[in-house]
Amino acid sequence: MSVDIDITGLRPEQIAVVASPLAELGMALHALSEPGHHPGLQGWATTVTAGLDSHLADRMSEADFLWRTTYSDLFLPYAGIPGRCTLPGAGLAEDLDLLDKLSDEQFVDAALEFTCALPYSVPGPAALADAEARRRALELAAARGPQQLRFTERLLADPPRTRAWLRQFLEDCDAAFFADTWSRLRHQLAADARHKTDLLRRKGLAEALASVSSAVTLDEAGARIVVDKLGSGRSATMDGGLLLVPTSLGRPHLMVVHRYGWQPVLHYPVSHPEPAAPPSVEQLTLRLAALSHPTRMRMCRSLARSAFTTGELAQIHGMTAPEISRHLSALKKAGLLTTRRRGRYVLHQLDVAAVARLGSDFLEGLLR
C-alpha cells in the first residue's frame, strides 16, 4: 500500500521546500486534541491547555474533527490555488488569505474530508452542487455524532459564514498561543527547508526525499514518488509543482496531499537531533535545588504559563527586581529557563519540557 505521485516532466525549479504557519497551526491543534499521538509534546500541550480561556476551548471543540479525526487539507490551502504552484505565505495572515481564495466548493469538499463522503484522488461530484453527494455527506456526518452533523449542516447551508467563523477562530488561536509557538519554531523549520533545498540542488530529488523520511522513495524509472503508508492514493504534478512542507509538531505523522486537481504536497516532520544526554549529577542537583526554593516554585507557576519580564515578576510576587533577578539566575543556571528579547525587554519562561523530564507530579503541581 502506498500513495504515489507521478512526477513525469517535473523540473527541479518546480520543487519547493517551504514552511507554512497555517500548516503548523493545524498540527498544533491536532497535537492539543490528540496528545497521545505526540508524547514528546506533553509539556507544551499541558502548558497551552492550562492557559486557554474557556470560550476559546469551547470553540476549539466545535470543529475539532477537522484536525483530530483527520488533518484537513484546509490547512494547506495553497495546494488548491489554480496553477498548482502557489507557495505558503510568509505569515499566518498570508496563509489565511490563501485559504480565502479557495472556492466555496473547494472549501466545503476539503472540510467534509472527515466524513470520507467524497472522492479524494479522483474526480467526483461536489456536495454543494450534487444532491446525492450532499445527502451522503449529511448521513455520514450524522453517523459521526451530533456535533459533526451540526457543523456539516451549517457548512452546506452557509459556506461564507462557516469560512468566516473558521478564520476568526484560527486568528484567535494565533493570539492566544500560536504566535509565541511559531516564533520559536519557524527558525528550525526555515533551517530544515534550506537544508532540503541544498540537497535538491547538490544531490538531487532522491537524496532530498531520503532525508525527509525512509518511507519516501523515488522510483526514477517510473518517474514517481512512492510514500509507504497504510492507505492507497495517487496524484500527479502534471503542469504544476511539488511542495515539501516541514513541521516541528507533526512527528510521527507524514501527510500527503493527493486531492484531485490540487498540487501534491508532502507535509513531513523535521528530523530531531539525537536525544540529549542525561544531565550530570551536578546539573541534576542544581535543578532540584533551584526548584526546591518556595519562592522559585511560585515563580515557576507563573513562568510555566507565560513569558514575563523581571519587572512583571517583581510586581506579581511583591519583590524587588534584584531579588527576582537572583532567583531567575538560579533557574537559568540550572537550565530551566528560556529567554528571548522583545525590543528592549527580556522575557523569561520556564522550559516545561526540561521540568517534565524531572517528574510529571511536580509539573502537574505547578500547573494545578
Side-chain angles (χ1 to χ4, degrees):
M1 302 178 75
S2 64
V3 177
D4 296 355
I5 302 173
D6 185 336
I7 58 170
T8 302
L10 181 68
R11 302 188 304 276
E13 63 270 19
Q14 293 176 297
I15 305 170
V17 190
V18 189
S20 164
L22 179 55
E24 199 69 350
L25 173 52
M27 195 52 70
L29 290 167
H30 170 72
L32 292 172
S33 297
E34 289 287 1
H37 291 194
H38 308 274
L41 299 177
Q42 179 183 1
W44 171 83
T46 301
T47 302
V48 171
T49 302
L52 288 178
D53 71 65
S54 58
H55 180 57
L56 183 59
D58 288 344
R59 291 163 62 205
M60 193 175 288
S61 69
E62 280 188 52
D64 69 346
F65 35 85
L66 294 179
W67 50 83
R68 180 199 291 265
T69 307
T70 185
Y71 182 81
S72 174
D73 289 343
L74 293 176
F75 292 104
L76 301 108
Y78 25 83
I81 303 298
R84 299 159 60 92
C85 60
T86 301
L87 299 180
L92 182 63
E94 290 90 338
D95 266 358
L96 291 174
D97 288 343
L98 293 173
L99 179 60
D100 288 343
K101 289 184 179 181
L102 296 180
S103 68
D104 281 348
E105 290 76 12
Q106 287 179 303
F107 183 92
V108 169
D109 287 354
L112 289 176
E113 184 182 338
F114 78 92
T115 68
C116 305
L118 303 169
Y120 186 82
S121 56
V122 295
L128 279 182
D130 185 88
E132 177 57 25
R134 185 188 190 94
R135 183 199 66 77
R136 181 65 174 154
L138 288 167
E139 179 182 283
L140 291 173
R144 295 295 178 95
Q147 183 172 282
Q148 288 87 334
L149 178 60
R150 285 193 298 271
F151 176 82
T152 302
E153 289 173 337
R154 186 174 63 182
L155 175 68
L156 291 170
D158 193 350
R161 184 179 178 186
T162 306
R163 298 178 71 152
W165 177 90
L166 180 61
R167 175 161 185 152
Q168 185 61 60
F169 166 73
L170 295 173
E171 289 173 341
D172 291 346
C173 286
D174 184 50
F177 67 88
F178 182 68
D180 182 60
T181 300
W182 178 248
S183 72
R184 296 198 301 270
L185 298 180
R186 62 188 179 90
H187 301 294
Q188 179 193 19
L189 296 176
D192 185 85
R194 287 193 299 270
H195 173 63
K196 298 291 191 296
T197 301
D198 186 56
L199 279 177
L200 277 168
R201 187 182 304 113
R202 292 188 298 106
K203 297 188 176 181
L205 181 57
E207 288 285 339
L209 293 176
S211 73
V212 165
S213 169
S214 60
V216 184
T217 55
L218 176 64
D219 176 3
E220 297 192 57
R224 63 186 183 132
I225 296 169
V226 180
V227 185
D228 184 28
K229 288 176 70 73
L230 285 174
S232 299
R234 61 183 58 191
S235 184
T237 53
M238 298 196 301
D239 57 347
L242 173 69
L243 189 58
L244 279 64
V245 177
T247 169
S248 284
L249 301 175
R251 184 170 300 277
H253 305 302
L254 174 63
M255 311 288 189
V256 186
V257 174
H258 53 100
R259 181 179 294 276
Y260 180 79
W262 287 40
Q263 179 185 17
V265 180
L266 287 175
H267 188 209
Y268 67 92
V270 298
S271 300
H272 287 274
E274 291 301 313
S280 65
V281 172
E282 180 182 2
Q283 185 74 355
L284 186 58
T285 302
L286 277 174
R287 290 182 175 182
L288 292 174
L291 292 171
S292 66
H293 195 288
T295 298
R296 288 196 283 270
M297 285 184 68
R298 288 194 297 273
M299 287 173 57
C300 284
R301 178 178 173 81
S302 301
L303 294 165
R305 287 167 166 76
S306 185
F308 292 92
T309 65
T310 301
E312 289 171 331
L313 289 169
Q315 185 173 11
I316 291 169
H317 295 282
M319 301 171 66
T320 66
E323 289 174 313
I324 291 292
S325 293
R326 284 194 292 273
H327 288 301
L328 289 173
S329 178
L331 291 168
K332 188 171 184 179
K333 186 177 180 181
L336 297 172
L337 282 189
T338 62
T339 60
R340 69 180 190 275
R341 182 172 290 278
R342 188 175 65 198
R344 63 190 182 90
Y345 298 102
V346 176
L347 297 169
H348 309 278
Q349 191 160 15
L350 190 69
D351 185 341
V352 176
V355 175
R357 289 194 294 271
L358 291 174
S360 59
D361 286 349
F362 183 84
L363 180 60
E364 289 176 14
L366 286 179
L367 298 175
R368 186 175 300 138

